[in-house]
Amino acid sequence: MTAAAARLGRDRAVPALLLAPAAIVAVAVLVVPFWLMAWTALTDLSYADPDRSGRFVGIANFARLATDDVFGASLLRTTAFAVAATALELVAGFGLALLLVHAVQRRRWLLTALLVPMMLAPVAVGLMWRLLLQGDFGVVTWMLRASGLLARDAAIFSNASLVMPVLVAIDVWQWTPFVTLILLAALLGLPRAPFEAATMDGAGPWRRFVDVTLPLLRPVLALVVLLRLIDAFKEFDKVWILTGGGPGDASELLSLYAYRVSFQRWDLGYGAAVAVAIYGAVLVLCTVLHRLARSR
Amino acid sequence: MRVAEWWPRAPRRAGVVAALLCVFQVPQVLAWTLEEAAKPYAGTTLRTIGEALPPLEAMKALAPAFTKRTGIKVEIEMYEHSEAVNKVMLDLNGKRRRYDFILQPHRELGKFVANGHLTPIDGFMNDPKLRDPAFVPEQALYPALWKEISWYGGKPYGFPFTALTMYAWYRADLLADPKEQAGFRAKYGRALAPARNWQEYRDLAEWFHRPDKGLYGTALQGKRHEALWYEWLNFLYSFGGDVLKVSSGSQCGPVIVNSPAAVESLDYYRSLLKFAPPDSLNYFWDDVMALMQQGRVFELIMWNDSTYAVSEDRKASTVAGRMAFDMLPAGKGGKVGQVEGWSYLIPAAAKNREAAWLFVQWMMEYRQQLAQHLGGGASARPDVYAAPEVRKLPYSKASMQTNEVARPKATLPQSGEMTDILVRELSAALAGEKTSKAALDRAAKDIGTLLGKCAPLEYPVQ
């Protein structure tokens, strides 16, 4: 072996060695559990029924999904929740970022304050809003009733038509700062030349926003939408604590249904199929958004 | 006259046997000591898990006395209801063998037994080295409760940790108020008194429902949560309905959860919403207990292990000393009550089964049971309810009477899924998404499909 070949080998081995621990951890905590889940979805495993000890059943669990009306309704509800929450967060977050872009140097405290909801654990957010919106002594409930926005004999989490809009609003409250933070960073990093050129061409603020700012931000916007959609699609903690999926099925999101099937009914094969379906839905969303972001 | 002449032959034989038993048993009773039995296990640490409630805290307070006598330590993990159940399920199926004994609700029993996760306790009971001859569970416990809570398929798997029942709670001070009495008599034409039937229960809720003054007639546990199912079972049984047509929790049988009686019970239950707080569809046991402690509810149906915190604990409750308790009002199904017990169970794969048995057996002794009961527990020993300090508690009578008319509930391996189906449908009915009949028809259909051939629908669904 020549000295050059030995050096080349060393050059390749060092990065591989340095990357190996991270790669092993990634495989152990991401790839292996996913494949185990995917395999379980092809079995009849149940901790409740000893006759169902993990026999291979092919796509039977997925066929069952197609006829499960509770799953179908949850899928639609989850999609509506994720799309509504993401759209509102994008609009509100972008608006806030545009407001802050000129003030950020002088008002860093404002940015810090805005980030507080995002830094709270979802369980803490759920408990906090549970108290604030509690039907008998919740401060927000009292304010809504005092202002006439809520009837005296109504309560938000006991009303099937109010519960989803309020859950969306809580998600918007918690995650708009995340959108603001990313878009603010992107806005501050935009090159000045295209804006100067547009101004010299006579473009006003609106045309500069539509024709320069938005196209330049498109990759970042796509990324933000993607991250928020994925996260909203997997929403569990807050809803579980606030409503438990009720009243009735009014707030039964897919992740709650997957939890119920897997850890209350212990129907692990079918529960894994629901989880794989969530993964599939997120994958489809990601692919569509990725294509949209790349298309001109 | 010789004894043999006046003693008839058959009783004579029985007497001889009894005498022999006495000769051999009495020394055994005298000889058996916990200290001696525990010697081989001294230094062992037992680990257990249960729901973070006063009965478990009382057990934790008692455990050091056991350690002092035996050298066996006891470590207790406390979790919220669902988490305590889920952790055990994962531990047993994952074969981690973390727990030497477990405290679990009896509806889980079928799942554990069917999967071979539990040790039947008859082996310990027949072992003279481990069995305290002074403890005779057949005599010491309510027999029906013990069988309901800790037996499955004709075999004992443990002893009741708590014999939980639900009964009616009232504000005694409001019932005794002369102004209220006069007003009630003027409107309803009868004396103001605890409800004897469900019509009277609703009348009382209606009379005391004054939301503008911060008082609600009743409170319901209407959240999509197990609490809803537990609460409705009281109404179902009392109206003469049931989920399955069986005589014990471990049996499978025809589905009758959509019978006319069941539909009537759900219609009635929904009718109480008018006299309950507006957020009732988001309340479970913690919420209604808090409302009662704040003096904002006149009557409700609630668990016996929550009673102490409302009725006696003056630091926590504004209505302590002003409460009264009674069995559920009578319906077509008579005076009944639903019982839910948590059991001491010993996993088949536990590392220290014998030491665990010794602790469980010790906890079932009268002294420990009395102390645990007074600390907020719910004993399955009738002699505990006969103790003067227990008799003084205003809820003892209601608790004891309900224990005696306990109705079985399904403990089949599929009971978790049955509960989940019912909670979903009950919640939909309360939310007005479905009629009572439509909700129970759907529940019957899903439960029938789940249980298969052994559970045909007695009331076919169109």
Side-chain angles (χ1 to χ4, degrees), chain A residues 108-128:
Chain A
R108 284 190 187 278
W109 61 269
L110 188 64
L111 197 59
T112 310
L114 268 176
L115 293 181
V116 171
M118 194 182 91
M119 291 189 287
L120 293 173
V123 173
V125 172
L127 289 171
M128 191 180 83

Side-chain angles (χ1 to χ4, degrees), chain B residues 93-404:
Chain B
N93 284 285
K95 301 191 171 33
R96 290 176 60 214
R97 303 172 71 206
R98 182 172 174 80
Y99 304 111
D100 296 298
F101 69 98
I102 53 177
L103 304 167
Q104 289 289 293
H106 83 292
R107 67 170 194 275
E108 300 294 313
L109 206 50
K111 213 156 33 197
F112 294 155
V113 173
N115 284 289
H117 290 318
L118 296 181
T119 312
I121 55 165
D122 43 8
F124 302 118
M125 289 174 69
N126 293 328
D127 185 340
K129 286 183 189 163
L130 296 171
R131 168 80 185 273
D132 177 357
F135 175 53
V136 184
E138 295 83 353
Q139 294 165 10
L141 307 174
Y142 284 107
L145 266 185
W146 183 32
K147 289 212 163 176
E148 164 67 6
I149 294 172
S150 311
W151 286 56
Y152 192 82
K155 270 193 169 186
Y157 284 89
F159 295 119
F161 172 71
T162 45
L164 302 177
T165 52
M166 293 182 83
Y167 42 74
W169 294 16
Y170 298 92
R171 283 282 300 280
D173 57 332
L174 293 178
L175 276 182
D177 185 328
K179 268 190 193 169
E180 299 288 355
Q181 287 176 343
F184 187 87
R185 182 178 285 282
K187 182 169 182 187
Y188 296 96
R190 63 169 193 275
L192 180 60
R196 290 164 300 180
N197 54 53
W198 290 108
Q199 179 59 47
E200 291 184 4
Y201 187 83
R202 185 160 49 197
D203 288 346
L204 286 168
E206 183 185 52
W207 172 251
F208 284 105
H209 188 58
R210 297 154 196 176
D212 47 333
K213 292 179 182 165
L215 181 68
Y216 300 108
T218 187
L220 302 182
Q221 301 176 35
K223 186 170 182 171
R224 190 170 166 178
H225 186 275
E226 297 102 305
L228 169 57
W229 168 73
Y230 281 126
E231 184 171 69
W232 176 66
L233 284 182
N234 294 293
F235 294 85
L236 175 70
Y237 295 159
S238 183
F239 275 71
D242 210 327
V243 178
L244 302 178
K245 196 175 175 182
V246 291
S247 57
S248 95
S250 57
Q251 284 178 343
C252 182
V255 180
I256 54 169
V257 76
N258 57 339
S259 68
V263 173
E264 194 188 349
S265 76
L266 185 51
D267 278 336
Y268 176 86
Y269 182 61
R270 291 170 69 185
S271 76
L272 293 176
L273 271 176
K274 271 189 290 186
F275 313 117
D279 210 6
S280 289
L281 269 57
N282 197 35
Y283 286 166
F284 74 125
W285 43 61
D286 287 352
D287 301 292
V288 297
M289 187 175 95
L291 281 176
M292 202 80 208
Q293 284 175 319
Q294 293 160 16
R296 303 194 61 186
V297 177
F298 167 71
E299 66 179 359
L300 49 71
I301 290 163
M302 191 51 179
W303 292 99
N304 55 345
D305 62 343
S306 303
T307 323
Y308 182 86
V310 176
S311 168
E312 303 301 307
D313 188 347
R314 288 176 191 275
K315 283 182 193 164
S317 173
T318 61
V319 293
R322 295 195 274 149
M323 297 290 300
F325 306 91
D326 200 356
M327 287 179 78
L328 296 180
K332 287 175 195 163
K335 281 251 179 197
V336 291
Q338 72 95 3
V339 66
E340 168 75 20
W342 282 61
S343 264
Y344 292 99
L345 304 167
I346 301 178
K351 291 173 197 156
N352 303 297
R353 289 187 298 170
E354 291 77 12
W357 159 262
L358 288 174
F359 178 75
V360 171
Q361 185 176 235
W362 177 79
M363 274 303 296
M364 295 311 295
E365 284 177 14
Y366 175 79
R367 277 180 61 174
Q368 280 72 252
Q369 287 289 298
L370 179 62
Q372 194 183 26
H373 191 91
L374 291 171
S379 180
R381 285 187 69 124
D383 52 3
V384 165
Y385 293 88
E389 51 272 61
V390 174
R391 288 168 73 98
K392 269 195 296 190
L393 297 172
Y395 52 89
S396 280
K397 193 176 162 199
S399 201
M400 196 162 59
Q401 286 176 334
T402 310
N403 279 345
E404 283 163 6

